[in-house]
Amino acid sequence: MLGASRRSFSAAVSSSSSARHRILALSVLSPHTSRPSTNEPVLKYEPKYPSSFPRWFSMLSAPKVTSLRHRSNLYSILFIKCRESTTAAAVDSSVPPSEKYEYQAEVSRLMDLIVNSLYSNKEVFLRELISNASDALDKLRYLSVTEPGLLKDAVDLDIRIQTDKDNGIITLTDTGIGMTRQELVECLGTIAQSGTAKFFKALKDSKEAGADSNLIGQFGVGFYSAFLVADKVVVLTKSPKSEKHYVWEGEANANSYTLREETNRDKIIPRGTCVTLYLKHDEKGFAHPERIEKLIKNYSQFVSFPIYAWQEKGFTKEVEVDEEPTEAKKEGEEESNSERKKKTKKVVEKYWDWELINETQPIWLRNPKDVTTEEYNEFYKKTFNEYLDPLASSHFTTEGEVEFRSILFVPPLKKEDMLNTKTKNIRLYVKRVFISDDFDGELFPRYLSFVKGVVDSNDLPLNVSREILQESRIVRIMKKRLVRKAFDMILGISLSENREDYEKFWDNFGKLLKLGCIEDHPNHKRIAPLLRFFSSQSEDELISLDEYVENMKSEQKDIYFIAADSLTSAKNTPFLEKLIQKDYEVLFLVDPMDELAIQNLKSYKEKNFVDISKEDLDLGDKDEEKEKQIKQEYGETCDWIKRRLGDKIASVQISNRLSSSPCVLVSGKFGWSANMERLMKAQTLGDTSSLEFMRARRVFEINPEHPIIRNLSVTCKSCPDDLDALRAIDLLYEAALISSGFTPDNPAELGGKIYEMMEMALGNKWAETAEPQFGSSSHPVLQQSHQPLQAEIVHPVAAASQK
């Protein structure tokens, strides 16, 4: 690949038929401590086998021991024979000298690369080592088909992990293909011999060329992840193709590693690899058996080979307890029974033994026909820590250009963070090894982030750390197929006989599907059948677009809708008057996202979506002669009203959508509707300049058959400057503004106009019958007559003559 020397990356890859398997064959067998626990006494056992016989046994082939406690100690002696001495005094003089290899790259840069660039989580070291072990076992099983002699040692194919929490040691052993001396040098010296600078250059060149950074099998970094937690790593390996055992030893802060042959028969193994990690002081917490079990279940639960961990166990047994005899009640009374009474109590006796950790088999590898609904539900609840059964599940296998297996689930309830793309709802596996559940839209778009499931692929391209998914062509194909299967699963819920299932789904995730209409144009055909709305003919039950199209009139060409802030506002809007007369169904878009979703869909089954609150509404019943006549008759009136309202409206037109209302205010064909204007005003960072521009496109439509419009038309021709008529136009506009869903700019001014018109209409209608109250009406002096008072005129001269 890089065209370097024999020790370069390409040489490391080309020197074997499978560089990936060679590196991953690094497997995992490591020196165990002779005593797993300081509290556990060691049973001395001398096996009756010749000294040349390997002192390694499988758990299944070991001799039977009656006592569990003795059996555990027996296994600790027979199986755990691989141990590296930590002091110079313990080194046997007969051990062959070690060969020293110096790193070409500085160790500090190497460690910086591993810690800061390759892995973001230290606990993945165990996942990488187990994955290497699994690959080594896979390779052995594959090669044994044509070379049965590779299995001549008859050792079970498994992985075993033992910890020493007191000394901070982890030993990981597999019985896989192992490595020869040459393979050990090539596999474990790849990064060092290639040099850090060359590694960076290769990584940079691959990115610039647009290639996938599939470097895990070329640089051996899976093994080197052990240095995230270990100061020293010792590898003992035995290949069935070689009679010798070799030991590789390296330290995190050294500039070299050593390689030697192992001749001590107490340490040799029949086949495979043993990796021993001497943990750093701050990382000794990884050596606890509980921590190891948790990591195995999280990352390697579905590895196809059994994984055993050395754990403390216990069993309950009854033991006898002596009880003191009772005193004699009377003096001189002889004891009839001199024996002490025997009692028992239950105690727990602890011992150490191998425990199978990955008992759960991957359900997605089974035939869907053989898996019951109860098994799917149980797997869902156990994998995602749920307590309710999923609404639906989809188990499928894709073949062809990209092959993978997957099980997807629709949860029964929504989460508060359902729009978060990092919800960890999709668990990605490669060869049944857990890789990650932290994605940012690589496998599912944001609006489908509520879907949960597992995906297992054998050929998924990953970067050097196996953690970050690359945006490659294969990933895009996988995402496309997963999305398609998710929609098929949701469609199955909508077509179910139990309508309540989809109603529950829509209440929880309906908004996300509307978001998909906005964000995912290529999948509009899959999203549209899943949408649900209220309508003028279905105010109590949501209907689908398919049901709407099925109920359309034969002469109806479009799908009509009105957007409003509530169901009450939608069904009382004046825009519906003519459509209700014609028995046309209108969709009520009462959710804030409905209008945006419909506008992005544009059409459904070759039927265009039409907003009945926009200008140029065509109901299919145009009479050109009649329209021409009406325009000639009311043309002067329209111009008169436009001059009065000025820039408040774009134009005044004759309406074909009104039957009982005098007028309505409609939005321009390309302007915002009243509902959209209201939503835009509510935006925290809304653009007020665009709001003013879109508002100017309002059109004032009048109903020529309404008495108010007729009277105004007469006034326009006789006395167009009449103040009362002009005030009536202003009030009509304000009333149309409110009834059409808009918000008046000055509510106080509108109230003043209403009061003024009320005063004009009422006049002195009740003034003549009004009865002023000055006091009690029963008092003769305070009684008021409903007739006007008549006064008698008396002249002063006439009055004097009478006297």
Side-chain angles (χ1 to χ4, degrees), residues 272-528:
T273 306
C274 174
V275 180
T276 302
L277 280 64
Y278 297 86
L279 301 180
K280 301 175 182 178
H281 179 74
D282 296 338
E283 309 297 343
K284 288 187 177 181
F286 284 107
H288 286 263
E290 297 81 6
R291 183 81 177 273
I292 292 296
E293 180 180 2
K294 181 179 179 181
L295 294 180
I296 295 173
K297 289 186 176 180
N298 187 32
Y299 291 100
S300 307
Q301 178 73 9
F302 303 108
V303 171
S304 55
F305 296 96
I307 303 175
Y308 294 94
W310 188 251
Q311 292 187 338
E312 186 180 31
K313 298 183 178 181
F315 66 94
T316 304
K317 67 177 183 179
E318 292 187 356
V319 296
E320 294 182 352
V321 179
D322 293 335
E323 183 179 2
E324 295 296 333
T326 58
E327 296 181 356
K329 295 182 180 180
K330 295 182 180 180
E331 294 182 0
E333 183 177 352
E334 297 182 357
E335 293 184 359
S336 60
N337 186 7
S338 61
E339 297 181 357
R340 295 181 176 181
K341 297 181 179 179
K342 302 294 183 180
K343 284 192 175 183
T344 62
K345 68 176 182 179
K346 293 182 179 180
V347 296
V348 177
E349 183 172 341
K350 295 183 179 181
Y351 66 97
W352 288 80
D353 199 358
W354 293 108
E355 176 75 15
L356 180 63
I357 304 300
N358 58 336
E359 294 180 337
T360 305
Q361 296 299 320
I363 191 175
W364 59 81
L365 296 181
R366 298 167 57 185
N367 190 331
K369 297 180 180 179
D370 300 332
V371 185
T372 64
T373 303
E374 290 73 17
E375 289 177 311
Y376 283 128
N377 295 344
E378 185 64 26
F379 174 78
Y380 167 77
K381 289 186 285 188
K382 184 176 181 180
T383 305
F384 299 101
N385 296 323
E386 296 285 350
Y387 61 93
L388 295 177
D389 294 337
L391 288 178
S393 62
S394 176
H395 184 184
F396 59 93
T397 302
T398 62
E399 298 179 352
E401 190 175 5
V402 178
E403 298 182 3
F404 64 91
R405 297 173 181 266
S406 178
I407 301 180
L408 301 179
F409 300 94
V410 175
L413 298 174
K414 65 180 178 181
K415 303 291 185 180
E416 294 182 358
D417 59 344
M418 62 181 181
L419 282 178
N420 184 7
T421 55
K422 297 182 179 181
T423 51
K424 299 185 177 181
N425 286 341
I426 301 298
R427 297 176 60 87
L428 176 65
Y429 293 82
V430 174
K431 294 183 179 179
R432 297 165 301 282
V433 176
F434 174 68
I435 300 301
S436 179
D437 56 3
D438 187 7
F439 302 109
D440 190 12
E442 287 91 351
L443 295 179
F444 272 100
R446 180 173 64 152
Y447 68 92
L448 288 179
S449 59
F450 63 89
V451 176
K452 298 184 178 183
V454 296
V455 180
D456 186 8
S457 173
N458 291 338
D459 55 356
L460 187 66
L462 301 173
N463 78 339
V464 69
S465 67
R466 291 186 177 182
E467 289 180 285
I468 304 173
L469 224 56
Q470 299 295 305
E471 274 296 340
S472 65
R473 181 177 56 87
I474 296 180
V475 174
R476 289 194 294 269
I477 295 175
M478 178 178 289
K479 178 178 179 180
K480 185 177 180 180
R481 294 183 180 179
L482 287 173
V483 171
R484 185 191 310 162
K485 289 295 183 179
F487 278 122
D488 292 342
M489 178 172 54
I490 298 173
L491 183 62
I493 303 176
S494 66
L495 299 177
S496 174
E497 296 180 357
N498 189 358
R499 194 180 181 97
E500 294 180 357
D501 288 344
Y502 195 75
E503 290 177 355
K504 184 187 300 182
F505 168 83
W506 184 256
D507 290 340
N508 288 294
F509 309 110
K511 290 182 181 292
L512 293 179
L513 293 184
K514 298 172 188 176
L515 180 63
C517 296
I518 302 172
E519 296 184 345
D520 192 359
H521 185 271
N523 284 309
H524 277 179
K525 291 184 178 180
R526 293 187 175 92
I527 299 175

Side-chain angles (χ1 to χ4, degrees), residues 124 157 196 220 244 268 298 488 585 678 720 760 766:
V124 300
L157 300 179
T196 308
K244 297 182 179 181
I268 63 176
N298 187 32
D488 292 342
E585 189 173 13
R678 176 178 57 84
M760 292 174 56
W766 294 290

Side-chain angles (χ1 to χ4, degrees), residues 713-724:
S713 179
V714 174
T715 305
C716 171
K717 297 175 181 178
S718 58
C719 49
D721 298 329
D722 185 79
L723 294 179
D724 292 340

Side-chain angles (χ1 to χ4, degrees), residues 13 17 26 86 203 269 284 301 348 475 548 605 649 689 739:
V13 177
S17 60
L26 221 193
T86 58
L203 188 61
I269 56 178
K284 288 187 177 181
Q301 178 73 9
V348 177
V475 174
Y548 180 95
K605 291 187 175 180
I649 59 174
S689 60
S739 63

